[in-house]
Amino acid sequence: MSQANYHAPMAPANSSSTTAFDIDKLRVKPGEKVDLSKVDTRSTPSWDGDDKDEGKARLVDLNGKMEQLQELLWANGKERVLLVLQAMDAGGKDGTVRHVFEGVNPSGVRVASFKKPSSKELSHDYLWRIHRQVPGDGELVIFNRSHYEDVLIVRVEELVPQSRWSKRYDHIVNFEQMLADEGTTIVKIFLHISKSEQQERLQARLDEPEKNWKFDAGDLGPRAKWDDYQKAFEELLQKTSTKDAPWFIVPADRKWYRNIAVSEIMIQTLRGLNMSYPEADFNPADIVIPD
Ligand code: ATP
Ligand code: MG
C-alpha cells in the first residue's frame, strides 16, 4: 500500500461500502447527559451492512488496515496512543482486544490489565499504577480496565468515602489532559451490554466446559448491583468525556458489531494523526549492497 492511503483521514473503510462509518454517532460530547437505558445494546449505529456475515467480512478488511496503521505508528515513532476499555463483567473486553488487534505487531502494542490493586499499589495514590503504564513514543497501549475502576467499583462498594471518590472525576480529566497536552492520543470506549446478555454469557461459562475457567463467582456481586454500576458509568461518561479524551459508547450485545465499531474508532483515530514513514537521511540509490 502506498503512503498516500494513510493520509486520507476519512476514506471509506472498505471498497464494498459506499458510506463511511460515522464514529461521531458513538461519541459522548463533552458535558452531554448520558442515559444508558436509552442506548439499545443490540443496536448497530452507522452500520450499513446487511448481516453478521457481512460484518465479519468487514472485520477482516479492518484488521488489515489496523495492521498497516500500527506498523506506521511504530515506524513513525512520534505518536503515543492510549485506548481505555471499560465494561461490566463479560462485556467483551478480552474478545475485543483479540479480534480488533488480530495480526498487529506485538512489539509495538501492549495490553495493561488493572485488577484489584496490590497492597503496594494501595499505598500510593490511585493514578500511580496507571501513569506507569501509559504509552511511550510509537506505542499503542490498551487499558483493560483502568483508573475508571476508581470511580466504579470503588464508588459502588464504597471502598473509599464519597468525599474522596467524588473528587476523582476532576483529577482524571486533568490527568488525561496532561497526557494529551504532552502528546498522547486518548480514546476511551465503554462496551455497553444488557443485563440479560450478561446473564447469557455468564451462563455459557457454566454450561460449556471449555469456558468454565472464565467463570468467576465474584462477577455475581457487581451483577446484583447492576443499576448502581450503570449510574456510576453514566456519571463518569458525562463528567470525563472531553475533546482530547473522548468516550465512545459501543452497543456490544452483538460481538461482530462491537468489533467493527471499535476497529473503526481506532482506525479513524490513527488516520487522523497523519503519520508518515520516516524519510531516509541518505540516498538509497547511492548504496550498493555488496555480494
Ligand atoms: P477476566 O475476568 O476476563 O480475567 P477481569 O478484568 O474481570 O478479567 P478479574 O481479575 O476477574 O479481571 O477482575 C478484576 C477485578 O479487579 C474487578 O472486579 C475490578 O472491578 C477490580 N478492580 C480493578 N481496579 C480496581 C480498583 N482500583 N479498586 C478495586 N477493585 C478494582
Ligand atoms: Mg473477571
Side-chain angles (χ1 to χ4, degrees):
M1 177 183 269
S2 74
Q3 276 184 36
N5 289 351
Y6 293 118
H7 291 271
M10 298 297 280
N14 178 326
S15 50
S16 68
S17 125
T18 45
T19 39
F21 188 105
D22 183 8
I23 61 171
D24 277 345
K25 288 195 177 143
L26 305 174
R27 187 192 302 265
V28 179
K29 310 319 172 266
E32 188 186 346
K33 180 124 185 60
V34 177
D35 181 347
L36 288 174
S37 69
K38 298 250 159 59
V39 182
D40 181 357
T41 54
R42 290 188 67 75
S43 62
T44 59
S46 242
W47 169 246
D48 56 354
D50 284 336
D51 57 14
K52 183 173 169 175
D53 288 342
E54 200 177 327
K56 288 193 168 174
R58 171 79 69 92
L59 185 64
V60 172
D61 178 65
L62 292 172
N63 282 159
K65 291 185 163 72
M66 177 73 76
E67 198 182 330
Q68 289 161 351
L69 282 160
Q70 187 267 327
E71 184 187 90
L72 181 59
L73 174 73
W74 185 239
N76 170 275
K78 291 183 186 148
E79 304 289 342
R80 309 160 183 175
V81 179
L82 174 62
L83 167 61
V84 173
L85 279 180
Q86 286 286 164
M88 293 296 287
D89 294 297
K93 293 184 275 73
D94 291 326
T96 300
V97 173
R98 233 177 23 252
H99 291 289
V100 170
F101 298 99
E102 194 174 316
V104 298
N105 178 355
S107 306
V109 178
R110 182 157 56 81
V111 180
S113 299
F114 295 96
K115 311 276 183 185
K116 206 166 165 290
S118 66
S119 53
K120 183 164 169 69
E121 288 169 343
L122 280 174
S123 74
H124 293 78
D125 68 83
Y126 67 99
L127 291 174
W128 179 75
R129 66 173 183 162
I130 306 294
H131 201 173
R132 294 152 68 98
Q133 299 283 359
V134 300
D137 288 346
E139 250 192 325
L140 191 162
V141 171
I142 302 151
F143 279 4
N144 183 337
R145 300 188 190 267
S146 65
H147 41 303
Y148 286 99
E149 294 291 324
D150 294 283
V151 287
L152 281 165
I153 187 168
V154 170
R155 166 183 167 149
V156 174
E157 297 300 334
E158 295 179 77
L159 301 180
V160 305
Q162 178 167 4
S163 57
R164 262 175 79 188
W165 62 252
S166 61
K167 292 187 178 143
R168 292 182 172 176
Y169 301 96
D170 285 345
H171 303 156
I172 290 172
V173 166
N174 288 330
F175 169 66
E176 291 176 353
Q177 192 61 54
M178 181 278 290
L179 293 178
D181 291 346
E182 293 289 322
T184 303
T185 298
I186 305 173
V187 171
K188 304 178 293 192
I189 297 182
F190 170 54
L191 304 175
H192 185 30
I193 59 163
S194 65
K195 197 174 177 188
S196 58
E197 178 68 21
Q198 189 197 48
Q199 181 176 26
E200 271 181 38
R201 293 186 188 180
L202 294 177
Q203 189 62 47
R205 294 176 180 188
L206 294 173
D207 295 344
E208 299 171 36
E210 65 280 11
K211 285 192 180 168
N212 285 170
W213 65 275
K214 285 197 206 174
F215 184 77
D216 178 359
D219 293 350
L220 300 179
R223 178 171 172 77
K225 295 186 177 170
W226 185 270
D227 292 345
D228 294 337
Y229 275 93
Q230 296 292 298
K231 190 162 168 262
F233 267 116
E234 282 173 350
E235 194 158 331
L236 74 83
L237 290 164
Q238 232 158 267
K239 289 188 165 165
T240 65
S241 195
T242 62
K243 181 179 155 291
D244 290 329
W247 274 106
F248 294 85
I249 300 174
V250 170
D253 280 4
R254 297 174 197 255
K255 294 175 184 171
W256 59 268
Y257 172 77
R258 169 202 79 194
N259 294 338
I260 290 172
V262 174
S263 296
E264 288 280 5
I265 292 166
M266 292 312 293
I267 287 170
Q268 292 187 28
T269 300
L270 288 166
R271 281 192 178 137
L273 295 176
N274 288 320
M275 297 175 288
S276 53
Y277 282 98
E279 273 182 36
D281 54 2
F282 53 87
N283 183 356
D286 291 346
I287 300 176
V288 177
I289 309 290
D291 287 340

